Amino acid sequence: MRVRHLNFGTYRPPSQKLINGHGSLFRAGHLVCHCLLLETDAGLVLVDTGFGTKDAADPLGRLGRAFMLRSRPVLRPEEAAVSQLAALGHDPRDVRHIVLTHLDRDHTGGLADFPEAQVHVYGPEFRAAMDPRTKLERARYRPTQWEHGPHWIVHELADGEKWFGFECVRQIAGLPPEILLVPLLGHTRGHIGVAVDTGTGLLLHAGDAYMFHGEMENPPYCSPGLRAFQKKFEVLPQRLTNVARLRELRRTTDVEVFSAHDLIEFEGWQKRNG
C-alpha cells in the first residue's frame, strides 16, 4: 500500500498569532485539509475529501456565509482531490472508497467529485448529520454536499476490538485489513480516526480530534484561537479524554498520529515524502 499525504483545501483565517501560535496578530493564519490517498489492491481509497470543485464554484451556497467569514477558505480548484488525483495520473473512477472521519463541510466537500465511490461513515455521525438534533448540528452539516446521493456505507462499531487501548476498533469490509476505524468521539457525535498499517509503520489520522500539534506535546498546549474553536464545536466531553489517549499513544508507541488541519504536521509529512 502506498500512502500519500495531500492537502485538499487551504484556509486563511484571522489571525496567524491566534491560530498558528506565532507571528503577527494581523496576518492571516494558515490551516490545511490534511487528507490521505491510499493506493491499494482494492483501488484508490481517500481518507476525507476536503473541499471539492463544486465548493469552489458556489462557496456561499455550498459552505455558508458564516463559515466563509470565519474560516476564509482559499478554494483553489487545483487543490480539490479530483484535480490532484488527475495530476498524479489517476482516473477519478478509480476511487472506490472514501472513509470520512466525520461529516463537517471541510471533510465532505469533495464527495460529489467521486459519485461512484462507496462512502464509509460511523453510524452516530451519519444519524447526526441526516437528522440533526441541536442548533449546532443543524448549523455545521451541509446537506447540499451530499445531494448527489452518495453510496453510503454506515458502520456500527459496538462489536469492534481493542487497539492500543482504544475500544470498538474494526476493519472495513471490502477494504484491506490494514485499514481500521477508531472511534474518537467528541468533536462530533460520531467522529472517528482512521488507522493504516503501511507495512513499514502504523499511522493514525485523527481527523479533528485535536487541531494543533502542541496538543500532542508534554505538557500539551494549544493556540488560543484553536482552543476556543474546539471548545465551541465540541459536542461530547470525551473529546479531551481522547486527546489525552492520543498523546499517550504517541508517547509510548511507534504509531504516528496526526490531525486534519495543522500546518506544521502536514509540512512534516510533505518533507518526509519528498
Side-chain angles (χ1 to χ4, degrees), residues 5-13 19-20 29-35 48-51 67 71-76 79 84 102 106-107 205 207-208 210-212 226 258-270:
H5 295 254
L6 301 170
N7 173 28
F8 293 154
T10 298
Y11 312 80
R12 301 309 304 267
I19 296 298
N20 297 103
H30 191 168
L31 299 174
V32 297
C33 292
H34 185 165
C35 304
D48 285 343
T49 67
F51 299 113
F67 180 84
S71 301
R72 301 200 313 202
V74 177
L75 300 177
R76 302 184 188 101
E79 272 192 345
Q84 294 197 50
H102 60 300
D106 50 339
H107 297 257
H205 189 311
D208 288 3
Y210 73 96
M211 293 187 176
F212 189 74
L226 289 178
F258 53 92
S259 60
H261 300 301
D262 188 85
L263 178 65
I264 297 294
E265 290 180 339
F266 179 71
E267 288 183 337
W269 282 102
Q270 289 291 93

Side-chain angles (χ1 to χ4, degrees), residues 47-48 99-104 107 121-125 140-141 155-158 161 163-170 180-196 203-211 215-216 230 233-250 255-260 265:
V47 178
D48 285 343
V99 185
L100 297 173
T101 59
H102 60 300
L103 296 178
D104 277 349
H107 297 257
V121 63
Y122 187 23
E125 183 70 6
R140 79 189 308 163
Y141 297 119
H155 298 271
E156 306 298 344
L157 305 187
E161 300 179 359
W163 181 82
F164 290 101
F166 290 88
E167 303 283 346
C168 299
V169 176
R170 63 173 293 176
L180 301 173
L181 303 181
V182 183
L184 294 173
L185 311 185
H187 177 66
T188 65
R189 201 173 300 279
H191 185 282
I192 59 170
V194 181
V196 182
L203 310 178
L204 178 57
H205 189 311
D208 288 3
Y210 73 96
M211 293 187 176
E215 295 177 79
M216 293 295 101
Q230 291 183 95
F233 285 91
E234 174 185 299
V235 298
L236 296 172
Q238 58 259 54
R239 186 188 72 82
L240 291 178
T241 301
N242 281 326
V243 173
R245 294 170 73 192
L246 289 170
R247 189 161 51 245
E248 185 68 6
L249 180 71
R250 187 162 169 170
V255 179
E256 300 196 72
V257 180
F258 53 92
S259 60
E265 290 180 339

